[in-house]
Amino acid sequence: MDGIECCIDDEIPFDIPDTWSWSRLGNLVEVITSGSRDWAKYYSETGSLFLRMGNLSRNSFELRLNNLQRVKLPENAEGTRTSLQAGDLLFSITGEVGMLGLIPDSFETAYINQHTAMIRFLPLIRNKYLPYFLLTDYAQKCYKSNQHGIKNSFRLDSISDILIPVPPFSEQERIVDQIEKIINRIATM
């Protein structure tokens, strides 16, 4: 992240194929940011979606859209930083850390609250490989081992520091395809 190479050999949790590499998640993103504070005063029956932890999932990255909140922002409200785009991954950073939600294509204008982080991946890795990886037992252990404070919180720099095994792009696509085939088979049982 700072352009300086450093040895991470003592941090490598498991072996990966020779064609893969290890990277910190922070090197694979455009931005990681947390949501806006004190937006309850903007709650409204109409306006933009305001996604909260209750909209995230524990064992998938499907958004739960059954309990939605909307906000109507005044013109001077800062919302650019937390305005969501297709492919952004939401990550709960307080309470039940590590719940996820992936913003689908053609999603309406939406923002996130302060208990949620937004991870915007680099364009070359905007597929479902990283979201699926962040559901793994390995990733869940990272969340549990690095929480801070009384309320179970996970800092943005802790998200950036997660070590990710990165296969070549074609392998990422193959892995995602296989995962989705298995999920579809289970769903039809």
Side-chain angles (χ1 to χ4, degrees), residues 2 8-9 55-56 108 129 133 137-138 155-156 158 188:
D2 55 11
I8 59 169
D9 288 348
N55 300 116
L56 308 182
E108 66 180 281
Y129 173 76
F133 180 79
D137 288 343
Y138 163 75
R155 297 188 318 230
L156 299 180
S158 296
T188 58

Side-chain angles (χ1 to χ4, degrees), residues 153-170:
S153 64
F154 201 67
R155 297 188 318 230
L156 299 180
D157 61 342
S158 296
I159 296 171
S160 291
D161 285 344
I162 297 171
L163 276 173
I164 306 286
V166 183
F169 186 75
S170 59

Side-chain angles (χ1 to χ4, degrees), residues 111-147:
Y111 303 91
I112 53 172
N113 79 346
Q114 69 195 37
H115 302 287
T116 306
M118 180 267 295
I119 305 168
R120 183 166 296 146
F121 301 113
L122 292 170
L124 291 175
I125 198 159
R126 278 191 198 144
N127 57 41
K128 292 182 181 176
Y129 173 76
L130 290 174
Y132 277 124
F133 180 79
L134 293 172
L135 288 171
T136 64
D137 288 343
Y138 163 75
Q140 296 295 321
K141 286 178 189 172
C142 290
Y143 313 151
K144 288 181 175 81
S145 68
N146 203 3
Q147 293 186 21

